Amino acid sequence: MQDATATHSEGNTLFPIVLSIVAAAATGVLWAYANPIQLVPGVIQWRIFAFLPPLVGILLGWKSGFICGYLGTIVWSLLAGTFIPAHSLIVDGIMVGLTGLVPGLIFDPARTKFDRNTLIKIAAVCLIVGLVMVVAVSASLAYLGIFPFWWAVMYLGLSDIVPMIIGTPLLVVPALKILKSAHPAGFTRF
């Protein structure tokens, strides 16, 4: 039986595109203004909303997840005053975008039953893609002379991976229910 919220048939494709852009803006604003702990002031803060790109990717599709992560990073870096063109537009943006893209490719609500095992798999995928992102972003920060590699790995791991592996599996089922009630006719994932 196919889930009405994430059908692949003729549906509303504008809904996930608009929602992913809104989620990207919200992600950037939340990362800039709702991060309670500065791990390294001016460089790395604990991004408690780091689960948003993978959550959006799973619910709305891999392209939406990438848009949420990439644009969210750009909005955040501009608002937080940490925008570095070579780093933010290329390495950080793309790698954070991948944290939304990869889970969106692997987990499709139309084909996935979100039981305990699936939620554990979501956490594992978030861990793996988070580690790849952290290593790449840390290498970029070290290459640009902004922050030492191993310190960046440690702080970015705390900053992004922890919220992703806890928040994404914890919120995917309630968020899916909200989407079903908000758009009962269904939509095409983007």
Side-chain angles (χ1 to χ4, degrees):
M1 183 156 99
Q2 196 170 22
D3 190 304
T5 302
T7 61
H8 289 282
S9 62
E10 206 53 41
N12 184 351
T13 56
L14 186 60
F15 179 73
I17 294 170
V18 170
L19 203 51
S20 67
I21 292 170
V22 170
T27 297
V29 169
L30 288 169
W31 285 351
Y33 298 118
N35 292 306
I37 300 170
Q38 292 288 321
L39 297 174
V40 181
V43 180
I44 302 168
Q45 75 274 353
W46 188 32
R47 296 196 295 196
I48 57 176
F49 296 97
F51 62 82
L52 286 171
L55 184 66
V56 168
I58 292 169
L59 298 175
L60 302 177
W62 64 271
K63 293 175 192 170
S64 297
F66 185 83
I67 289 169
C68 179
Y70 185 85
L71 291 180
T73 298
I74 303 306
V75 169
W76 161 76
S77 65
L78 290 169
L79 291 175
T82 60
F83 182 79
I84 304 161
H87 174 73
S88 301
L89 293 173
I90 300 169
V91 179
D92 202 16
I94 290 172
M95 295 312 295
V96 175
L98 289 176
T99 67
L101 183 146
V102 172
L105 278 174
I106 296 173
F107 303 102
D108 180 351
R111 297 184 180 98
T112 305
K113 180 182 176 193
F114 291 100
D115 58 10
R116 183 178 180 176
N117 288 335
T118 302
L119 298 178
I120 291 170
K121 288 177 188 174
I122 289 171
V125 167
C126 286
L127 173 64
I128 293 166
V129 74
L131 287 171
V132 171
M133 180 268 300
V134 163
V135 168
V137 171
S138 297
S140 175
L141 290 172
Y143 178 77
L144 295 171
I146 297 169
F147 206 66
F149 177 77
W150 288 110
W151 285 103
V153 167
M154 182 179 73
Y155 284 120
L156 285 172
L158 289 171
S159 165
D160 290 10
I161 296 173
V162 173
M164 283 178 15
I165 63 174
I166 294 171
T168 308
L170 186 66
L171 295 170
V172 71
V173 173
L176 188 58
K177 289 178 183 176
I178 291 169
L179 276 178
K180 284 181 184 179
S181 64
H183 209 286
F187 58 89
T188 302
R189 290 174 82 226
F190 176 72

